[in-house]
Amino acid sequence: ILEGEDVVRAMATAFERTADDDLPERLMQALEAGQEAGGDRRGRQSAGIYVMAAEEYPWVTLRVDDHSDPLAELRRVLEVWKVEEMAWMQYMPRRDDPIPGWDVVSRMAEQIDNELSEREPVKEH
């Protein structure tokens, strides 16, 4: 259903060219290159990125349906994901660590306790 071989070649080239980027960005670049090379003969309506990694839940699951410019909208959603979600992925449960970052939370709690104990007590009137 693609316009032709050029679509696949453009996608492969974009994917290979972005080897230093994270996988969601590489996939987005490939989709954009494929669209620029002609895309789907039926037109544009939806787009998505779904990436599984080492865990039982997806690392990335983004989807745009029934949109007049789905790739532009997917690009926008991906950029939001990068800012709002990507940083929090390190705190998601993992197979080898069901409570990642717990050591950081423990250190923060200790620091707060120490700071509170160093304060002078508030005198009641």
Side-chain angles (χ1 to χ4, degrees):
I1 332 169
L2 298 177
E3 277 295 332
E5 273 185 54
D6 290 346
V7 174
V8 177
R9 282 194 190 105
M11 293 177 78
T13 299
F15 189 79
E16 291 167 359
R17 184 187 70 233
T18 57
D20 291 338
D21 292 334
D22 59 49
L23 185 56
E25 178 60 31
R26 294 180 75 194
L27 293 170
M28 186 72 228
Q29 294 260 348
L31 289 171
E32 291 168 335
Q35 182 60 48
E36 193 172 309
D40 189 324
R41 283 183 290 182
R42 298 170 298 173
R44 300 177 293 176
Q45 185 173 358
S46 63
I49 295 175
Y50 188 91
V51 177
M52 291 295 295
E55 306 308 327
E56 292 189 34
Y57 51 83
W59 180 39
V60 180
T61 177
L62 304 173
R63 185 178 172 110
V64 174
D65 286 312
D66 197 25
H67 196 280
S68 61
D69 195 354
L71 281 182
E73 181 63 7
L74 185 62
R75 166 57 74 187
R76 186 191 70 76
V77 171
L78 177 62
E79 295 305 319
V80 170
W81 177 84
K82 287 177 183 179
V83 172
E84 299 292 328
E85 299 293 326
M86 192 174 191
W88 292 102
M89 293 306 289
Q90 64 185 319
Y91 299 110
M92 293 289 291
R94 294 190 294 272
R95 292 174 199 249
D96 64 340
D97 188 1
I99 310 172
W102 185 251
D103 57 328
V104 174
V105 173
S106 296
R107 283 196 305 273
M108 288 173 63
E110 274 183 43
Q111 183 180 357
I112 291 168
D113 284 344
N114 290 339
E115 289 174 7
L116 289 174
S117 67
E118 291 173 2
R119 288 185 181 177
E120 291 185 33
V122 176
K123 296 180 183 179
E124 294 184 27
H125 294 275

